Amino acid sequence: MSENNQDRRRAARERLQRERELEKRREKRRRTLIVASAVVGVLGLAAVVGLIAANAGKDGGGTDAGPVVAPAGAEGEEQLAIPVGAPDAPSTLTVWEDFRCPACAAFENTLRDTIHDMTEQGQLKVEYRLATIIDGNLGGNGSKRAANAAACAQDAGHFAAYHDVLFEDQPPEIDDAYADNDKLIELAGKVEGLDTPAFRRCVQDGTYSAWVNESNQAFQDGGFRGTPTVLLNGESIFPQKGDEQISVENFKKWVAEANEGKQPGTEAPASPTRSPSPADTGSPAPTGS
C-alpha cells in the first residue's frame, strides 16, 4: 500500500472519528434540552400566558365588596404572605403561585419534598403569595376560589398540606374545576382535621376573596411576568439562576451557597392567629365571585 493511500485512509478515519464525536456532543445537547424541556419547557409558555393575563385580566377574576381580611398568621406588607418554616431561617424563598397554573404544579411536584426538607431543617423559610392570572386570561374563578380556600386552610393551621393537595390534584388549565366550592371542600378531606364547619363556611362565604384580589394586584404591581415567580433572598431562580437551569440539585446548591456560614433557624413558627372576620364584627361576609 502506497504512503499516499495510508495517509488518505488515516485522514478518513480521523475525519470519521471527529464526526462521531461531534454527533455525540449534538446528541448530548439534544438529551439535555429534552430533559430541561420536561421540567421548564412549559414555563416559557406559562410566562407568556401569565404576561397576557396580567395585561388582559387586571381584576384577576372580579372584585369583592367588603373589608380586606387577612388569613391567620399572614405576614409582610399588607399581610399578603403566608409563611412556612422557622422565622429565623437564614434564607427566604418567595413563591408567587396560581392554583390553576400548570407550571406551578410542575415546580411544586419537582421540588416539593426538597423544600419541605429544608423548611423542617431550618435552612429555609417560605413565603407563599397567591395570584389569579389564569382567571384573568382564560376566564372563570377557579384561581381565586382555590386561593380563598387555601387562606381558609391557613386559619386552621393546614395551609401547607392543603396547598400541596391543590397542586397534586390540579385539573387541566382550561378546566375551571376549582371554581366549584364543593370540589375544594372535597379535597380538604385529604388533609386530616381540615374539613370542619368553620372551613366549609369560610370557603362558601369567600371570606378571603378580597384579600386574594389584593394579593393578585400586588403581583401585577410587582411587574412579574408569570407564575410561578420564585425568588431566593430576592433573586429570581426560576426557571433559571444565571446560566443554570433550576433542578433539585441546583436548588440545593443555591440554598447551600446562600446559607454558607449561617446557622439554621431554630425558632418555632408562630401558631396562626386569625384576624377578626366580618362574622366576628357582625358585618356581612364578602361574597366570592
Side-chain angles (χ1 to χ4, degrees), residues 31 38 73 136 149 176 200 217 232 240 275:
R31 290 196 303 268
D176 196 27
R200 291 186 173 216
Q217 186 62 53
L232 178 61
Q240 63 189 59
S275 302

Side-chain angles (χ1 to χ4, degrees), residues 33 36-53 101-104 106-107 133-134 137 173 224-229 238-240 245-246:
L33 287 172
S37 296
V39 178
V40 302
V42 68
L43 309 179
L45 175 61
V48 172
V49 171
L51 180 59
I52 294 171
C101 163
C104 298
F107 168 77
I133 61 173
I134 306 298
N137 186 55
E173 185 179 16
F224 303 118
R225 295 182 60 84
T227 52
T229 290
F238 191 88
Q240 63 189 59
Q245 295 285 341
I246 194 166

Side-chain angles (χ1 to χ4, degrees), residues 30 32 34 60 63 68 72 74 76 84 91 117 121 125 131 135 148 159 171 194 200 202-203 209 238 241 272 282:
R30 188 182 71 84
T32 300
I34 290 173
T63 59
V68 176
V84 174
S91 286
D117 287 345
Q121 294 164 9
K125 171 187 174 180
D135 286 356
N148 172 73
F159 170 84
L194 178 56
R200 291 186 173 216
C202 182
V203 172
S209 291
F238 191 88
K241 178 178 180 286

